[in-house]
Amino acid sequence: MAKALDAEGNFSPLARVHALKFYDLARAPDSLFRVGQDLVDQFIRQRDFEGALNMMESIVLPQLQQWKLADYLISVRSQYAVVLAYCERYSEAEAEMTRLEPYKSGLGPAAQKELDDQRNLIANLRRFGPPPKWVPPPGLLDRLAGQFGGKGRVPSMPSRAVFPKVGRNERCPCGSGRKYKHCHG
């Protein structure tokens, strides 16, 4: 079993992926998007821009489309634009932000500022380029795949049967250490 926290005190990405699956099963979109966006931010902090993009495109955006929740549309799509910019896909990032512009006037001041900050970040990434990408040491991905029973492949998401029902008074599967009812319940 993976440790909940990594060496820097962050939740391990694997723990967050398990939490995402749990929140999908529990039909808890607030928690699902919060943990998903936190996971994407963690990949960015670790300079794994392709990992962040993969998370957005394979988990967070499909969930947004499945749930059809307008409440998350702007924050998730603007975060996606930033991730595209970190992956040096500037035109796509700017196009994504342009699509969000009509919604800006309906947002509160804090959300408008966040949108402006993200637009500025994208412009600065285009101007100066992103920080150096994280490159896994040679053989790391194969070693990880071996630990999960594979040979040279990345492990797939576990099946739905892996996640038992969590009681209200049990610890939250997101790894916060808090009771589920006080965290994501």
Side-chain angles (χ1 to χ4, degrees):
M1 176 168 240
K3 295 179 184 177
L5 296 175
D6 65 12
E8 290 88 33
N10 295 318
F11 290 106
S12 77
L14 188 56
R16 288 185 196 245
V17 169
H18 286 297
L20 285 172
K21 291 295 283 183
F22 169 78
Y23 294 131
D24 182 36
L25 289 172
R27 315 257 333 134
D30 289 331
S31 301
L32 185 138
F33 289 114
R34 187 175 328 121
V35 170
Q37 288 184 281
D38 287 348
L39 180 58
V40 170
D41 287 341
Q42 184 176 348
F43 276 103
I44 293 293
R45 280 191 307 275
Q46 294 173 345
R47 296 183 179 183
D48 184 357
F49 309 133
E50 299 299 326
L53 184 63
N54 185 24
M55 274 296 139
M56 285 300 283
E57 291 179 342
S58 66
I59 295 176
V60 179
L61 291 174
Q63 288 295 330
L64 182 65
Q65 189 171 27
Q66 174 189 332
W67 287 89
K68 297 182 178 17
L69 295 173
D71 294 347
Y72 300 100
L73 174 71
I74 295 168
S75 68
V76 170
R77 298 303 298 202
S78 62
Q79 184 184 30
Y80 177 57
V82 169
V83 171
L84 286 169
Y86 272 110
C87 292
E88 301 181 61
R89 293 166 58 179
Y90 306 115
S91 296
E92 292 174 63
E94 291 162 352
E96 190 71 34
M97 293 302 286
T98 300
R99 282 191 286 275
L100 296 176
E101 191 63 31
Y103 300 101
K104 185 176 176 182
S105 63
L107 299 174
Q112 286 186 12
K113 182 181 178 337
E114 180 180 353
L115 216 51
D116 289 338
D117 290 346
Q118 288 172 319
R119 186 179 307 283
N120 291 334
L121 175 58
I122 291 168
N124 284 331
L125 288 170
R126 180 186 274 280
R127 189 175 306 121
F128 304 111
K133 293 180 182 181
W134 175 79
V135 178
L140 175 66
L141 297 178
D142 289 333
R143 285 194 309 275
L144 287 174
Q147 290 176 354
F148 287 95
K151 191 89 174 152
R153 59 183 176 85
V154 177
S156 62
M157 296 291 285
S159 70
R160 292 183 180 262
V162 172
F163 301 101
K165 182 175 167 98
V166 175
R168 289 174 35 81
N169 291 315
E170 293 179 33
R171 299 288 175 213
C172 188
C174 76
S176 69
R178 299 173 63 198
K179 288 184 179 181
Y180 176 69
K181 67 183 178 185
H182 295 296
C183 190
H184 287 96

